[in-house]
Each structure stands twice: as C-alpha cells, then as structure tokens.
Amino acid sequence: MFCSQFNLSRMNRQIVFASLAIFVLASPAMAATASELLEKGIYTEETVGDLDQAIKVYKKVVVEGKAAQEVAAQAQFRIGLCYAKLGKANEAKAAFQAVIDNFPQAAGIVAEAQKRLPREPELLPVPWGDGDELLLEMQLPNGMGVGQQIYRVSAIEKEGHSHWECQTWQTVVLNGQLGKSRVLIDKETFAPLSSIWKHTMLGKATATYAKDQVVIQSSNQTEPTTLKFTGQVFDNEQAAEMFRRLPLEVGYKTTVQIVSTLGSILIPLELNVSKLETIEVSAGSFECFRLELSIGQTFWISTDEHRYIVQFRGGGVTAGLSEIRESPFDKSTEVEEPNFSVTLPPDWFAYTPSGKEDDPSPTTSIVDPESISNTRIEAGPLDGIQKDHASPEAWLEASIEEYRNRINEFKMQPPGIETTTVGGQPAAKATFEFEEGNRAMTAQRITIFGKTSAANVRFAVETDQLEQWMPEFEEILSTLKLK
C-alpha cells in the first residue's frame, strides 16, 4: 500500500534562507514576522508532527507575508506538502497550484510546485500479451527467500466492452500472510473501473470508479468512503502495470494520482528515473530504468520492448524476477521437489523459498487462485522424523499439542486423529477449529510416511470458505507422492 512522504532538499532550504535575508533588508518588520512564522510552521510540521496546526501557521505566513513574496510562496508550498502527507491529494493539488498562480516571481519554488502537480501521463502501447505473468521472489538482504509476488495481465470482455484485468498474488512465508488483488481496467484509457483487494492481515476493500470519484468499501469501516478527484487516477493495484507503460528515459519525472483502497486515500506519487542499471536476477540479466518513487520504493523496469518488472525494493525487502511465462489458465502444474511431487489444478501456484539449501525439510507454500487458504507442505528425510516419532499418528499428536498451546480457542473436531493413507502411503489426519483475530478458522494437519521421506501437510482457511475450498485441496492431496 502506498503512503506519501515529502521533504525539501538541502539546496531548496538554502535558497529559502538566502531569500529571507534579502527580504529582511528590504522590509525588516514584515520579513521578520513572516520568517519567524515560517520557522514556527516548519518546527510544527517536522519536529512536532502536527500537520493540521502547521497548515494553520503557514496560512498566516501567506496572509502576513504578502510583501515578502518568497517567504509567502514557501509557506504556500509547505501547505501542499502537509496536505500530501495527510493523504489529501485534492487539497495538496490546490495548494501547489496556488503557488504557481499567486507567486510567479518565486521561480524556484514554483518549479518545485509544478513537479508535485499530478499530470496526465503519456502511456505507451501495452508491452505485454494476453495472460502474461511475471513471478518475483521476495528476499531479505541476506538472500533468504521470504515470499513470492505474481503479476498477471489478461484481456477480457465484459458487457460488450474490452478490458484489461490486472491480478496480483502475494505470499509471505515469514508470517503466513496472503494477498490477492484484481483490477478491471478500460482497455482504451487504462482507467480503473473496479477493484478488489484482500489481505489476511489488513482486511478487504472494494472500489467502484466513476469519472470524477471512487467509492471504497473497506472491511475496517462501517460506511463507504467517497474520494473526489480531477484528472486521471490509477488504482494502487494497477500501478506496476502503469509503470511499464510510461515513456521512461533517464531524467524522466512525473507525478500521478494513486488510489490506495485499503487506506481509502488519494496519493500524489512522484516518479523519477535516476539512471540506467544492469540487474542480475534468476530470470537473467537485464538493462533497466531505475524508477524511484517518492514513498521510498524503487522499481527496476527493463529497457527492452517488454518493459518487465525486473526488480522491486521497499520496506527492507528486494523482489527479483524469477520467471516469465504465459499463464497456464487451463493447464495443471507439475511440482517436483527433492522429497515429493504433486500436481496443482489450473491457476494454483507453488513457492519454495531460496537460500535454504541446507534445510533438510524445506516448506513449499501452495497458493490457490483467490489466496483464501494458508497451505503448506513440509517434507524431509524419513529417518530424521522416525528418530522422534514411530508413526504418522505419533508425529501428528505431537504437532497437535503444539497447536493447543499457542493458538486461541483451539477445538478438535471429531473423531480426532484418524489413521488413513495418502497416495497409498501410511498417514494420519486431524481437523480442528481456532480463532485468528476476529476470524473463525478451520485447519487440517496430515502427516505422511513415504519410503525415504516424510511430509507434514497443513492448511488453514476461514470456516465459511471451507466448503468452497476443500474439493480442490482433496484433489491436490490425491496427487501427492513422497519419495
């Protein structure tokens, strides 16, 4: 989710201080008052962090500092910065426009204000084909894989009109968090029409777009939020695809309006191509535009005709392109791991983190089309498990005891631990219920002994979605074979 933060450069601050000195000589009483108020506003904004109060102080500077035009322009500019930090994009836009309209002689500050005004970005022809997918692995600085991000763009027909549909899947294995988004986009204008974003930790939000507004219903709010806007906006979940269509070159700068549906705010997002870099990722070597965002994130977009998202960095995580493919909408996927194999239905994904080559029992996450279930297969050598557990039932009983001690409102479903088989191999399974936040969950654990390997299969899903999800899971389980 995008959030905004803007700061003046040291050079701009020096320009402001030099201008203050000039106006002190020209009009001592007026300039001193305006400059003192300006410093008070800066202190209130940057040190105290009270943006609303800072806006009030800056407005006084504008009124009282008309003679000291540079100071008044600086105050008007900072009003725009404060509104941008508050996520009030329309107010920020009006404040920056006021700098341009009312203080044309303050050339340096006018130039800064112009950079922050959203513009209608030129969009190049789409660089993708129908159903193209980009798979990126998220890694920590030490190289350990912690999750997967998948981008897919599809051409669809709806109500007699041609649209693009952007879908994103996100899996984070460190905390078991899942995300899924879907944005319907007008094929001609690339304007969003509707979107849905679900996240197991942040909740769910839906958005319906009109010409000059978007209505957002978030699971965290009882009433919908209506955001007004002028000009072109983009949904947060189509931003990556929008970046791929920009006329990127070194020195390219623009500001676009982004709707964050989970945050229910409109954000003016500044974009800047600082340089070209060659990036090495699992999918190969690519010359890339380094696209820097004003929210502290960076995208590397390939310079070739495909404009791939080669790398992304933000929040201490780097995601690198691991695979480029056409989506197998109607094809099953064969997953082959050192200790097991399994067949996934169309539109399901598997992810095993890199950087754990020494782990004898790596965990593979299984991602369903709507990311409604946290499903994992942990498989390793059988002899290591048998040292502590003589049978699948004994292994499962020990696992269940761990759950009893660390999850809320644990309740085993009858008949408790059952003896069964999976793929003709001895197994045990148990189903139980628990609470996660305000969600009622149902989970199942299945332990299996193969010839040389053992596996612990586990899933957790919201109880009201269990019936929808279970048939496909059972289909997948029937294809699981241990080595």
Side-chain angles (χ1 to χ4, degrees):
M1 177 167 46
F2 291 123
C3 59
S4 270
Q5 182 175 341
F6 302 92
N7 289 297
L8 282 179
S9 67
R10 178 177 295 179
M11 181 177 294
N12 286 337
R13 183 68 60 80
Q14 291 172 343
I15 291 172
V16 171
F17 289 156
S19 300
L20 290 177
I22 292 171
F23 280 105
V24 165
L25 294 176
S27 180
M30 183 66 72
T33 301
S35 63
E36 288 171 359
L37 279 173
L38 179 61
E39 289 302 312
K40 179 181 178 181
I42 293 172
Y43 176 81
T44 305
E45 176 193 350
E46 297 187 347
T47 303
V48 179
D50 188 341
L51 299 177
D52 291 320
Q53 183 60 33
I55 289 171
K56 293 179 181 178
V57 176
Y58 291 140
K59 286 181 176 179
K60 288 183 180 179
V61 177
V62 174
V63 173
E64 297 184 17
K66 290 296 185 181
Q69 292 286 292
E70 194 85 8
V71 179
Q74 178 67 15
Q76 182 63 53
F77 177 78
R78 281 189 165 272
I79 291 172
L81 295 182
C82 289
Y83 278 131
K85 291 177 182 178
L86 289 168
K88 297 181 177 181
N90 288 336
E91 290 87 343
K93 180 180 178 181
F96 291 134
Q97 188 63 50
V99 174
I100 298 167
D101 295 341
N102 300 333
F103 306 99
Q105 70 277 36
I109 300 174
V110 166
E112 288 297 317
Q114 288 172 331
K115 292 178 184 179
R116 287 165 170 79
L117 280 176
R119 294 186 289 274
E120 300 292 327
E122 176 189 355
L123 297 180
L124 301 179
V126 298
W128 53 73
D130 180 17
D132 282 3
E133 283 184 350
L134 303 180
L135 284 71
L136 291 86
E137 183 179 30
M138 295 178 282
Q139 295 180 318
L140 297 178
N142 63 7
M144 184 177 73
V146 295
Q148 185 179 58
Q149 185 97 355
I150 301 170
Y151 297 100
R152 178 194 291 174
V153 188
S154 308
I156 66 171
E157 294 289 326
K158 187 173 182 180
E159 298 177 352
H161 297 282
S162 298
H163 303 293
W164 289 115
E165 183 180 61
C166 295
Q167 295 188 71
T168 306
W169 290 261
Q170 186 182 79
T171 302
V172 181
V173 298
L174 285 180
N175 54 16
Q177 298 300 322
L178 303 171
K180 172 66 191 294
S181 66
R182 188 190 305 265
V183 186
L184 187 67
I185 301 164
D186 183 274
K187 204 166 189 178
E188 293 297 322
T189 65
F190 212 59
L193 304 174
S194 64
S195 72
I196 181 170
W197 189 9
K198 301 182 297 181
H199 191 277
T200 50
M201 182 175 65
L202 301 176
K204 175 181 176 181
T206 59
T208 304
Y209 289 84
K211 182 179 179 180
D212 59 356
Q213 69 176 34
V214 56
V215 179
I216 302 170
Q217 180 62 66
S218 171
S219 60
N220 301 321
Q221 300 173 332
T222 56
E223 297 294 330
T225 299
T226 299
L227 301 178
K228 298 284 188 178
F229 56 79
T230 57
Q232 189 168 14
V233 301
F234 301 97
D235 192 279
N236 184 84
E237 296 304 288
Q238 71 176 121
E241 287 76 20
M242 179 265 291
F243 297 159
R244 297 175 66 186
R245 293 191 61 183
L246 293 174
L248 303 177
E249 61 181 6
V250 175
Y252 174 83
K253 294 182 180 181
T254 192
T255 301
V256 296
Q257 298 185 91
I258 298 293
V259 175
S260 172
T261 52
L262 279 181
S264 296
I265 57 174
L266 185 62
I267 300 168
L269 182 67
E270 298 173 46
L271 310 175
N272 169 40
V273 177
S274 58
K275 58 182 176 179
L276 294 178
E277 291 184 323
T278 298
I279 302 297
E280 300 281 347
V281 291
S282 298
S285 177
F286 299 85
E287 182 186 57
C288 297
F289 297 108
R290 181 185 175 114
L291 181 64
E292 298 177 358
L293 282 58
S294 57
I295 56 174
Q297 298 175 1
T298 304
F299 281 76
W300 283 263
I301 312 293
S302 68
T303 59
D304 59 32
E305 70 275 16
H306 301 293
R307 289 295 198 266
Y308 295 128
I309 302 169
V310 174
Q311 187 170 270
F312 159 84
R313 183 174 296 157
V317 172
T318 299
L321 184 62
S322 58
E323 188 176 355
I324 303 163
R325 68 185 188 189
E326 293 183 5
S327 177
F329 292 118
D330 56 354
K331 299 178 183 178
S332 299
T333 302
E334 302 296 329
V335 179
E336 190 74 33
E337 293 291 337
N339 296 297
F340 73 91
S341 64
V342 70
T343 302
L344 302 182
D347 258 6
W348 287 61
F349 305 92
Y351 167 66
T352 304
S354 62
K356 294 187 175 182
E357 289 75 16
D358 297 333
D359 186 352
S361 302
T363 297
T364 299
S365 294
I366 306 298
V367 182
D368 60 86
E370 296 303 322
S371 290
I372 64 175
S373 169
N374 188 339
T375 304
R376 291 177 283 178
I377 302 175
E378 180 183 348
L382 176 62
D383 55 3
I385 296 298
Q386 285 184 319
K387 288 179 182 178
D388 299 315
H389 310 292
S391 66
E393 291 83 1
W395 187 18
L396 181 55
E397 185 174 355
S399 297
I400 292 298
E401 280 306 307
E402 293 180 10
Y403 273 101
R404 288 185 193 274
N405 296 328
R406 64 182 177 88
I407 63 177
N408 296 326
E409 303 296 328
F410 178 93
K411 181 181 178 182
M412 183 80 81
Q413 288 188 356
I417 295 177
E418 301 178 78
T419 298
T420 184
T421 60
V422 173
Q425 299 164 316
K429 72 175 181 179
T431 304
F432 54 92
E433 300 170 356
F434 65 98
E435 291 184 2
E436 187 174 81
N438 59 357
R439 300 186 300 162
M441 307 290 292
T442 298
Q444 191 172 98
R445 293 287 291 262
I446 303 168
T447 51
I448 312 163
F449 280 6
K451 291 182 178 180
T452 61
S453 301
N456 191 338
V457 183
R458 42 192 167 169
F459 78 78
V461 65
E462 290 192 42
T463 301
D464 61 2
Q465 295 175 319
L466 180 65
E467 184 177 351
Q468 165 194 346
W469 181 82
M470 199 66 182
E472 286 191 284
F473 171 73
E474 290 178 339
E475 178 185 341
I476 292 170
L477 192 63
S478 69
T479 70
L480 178 64
K481 298 190 181 305
L482 300 190
K483 306 295 175 68

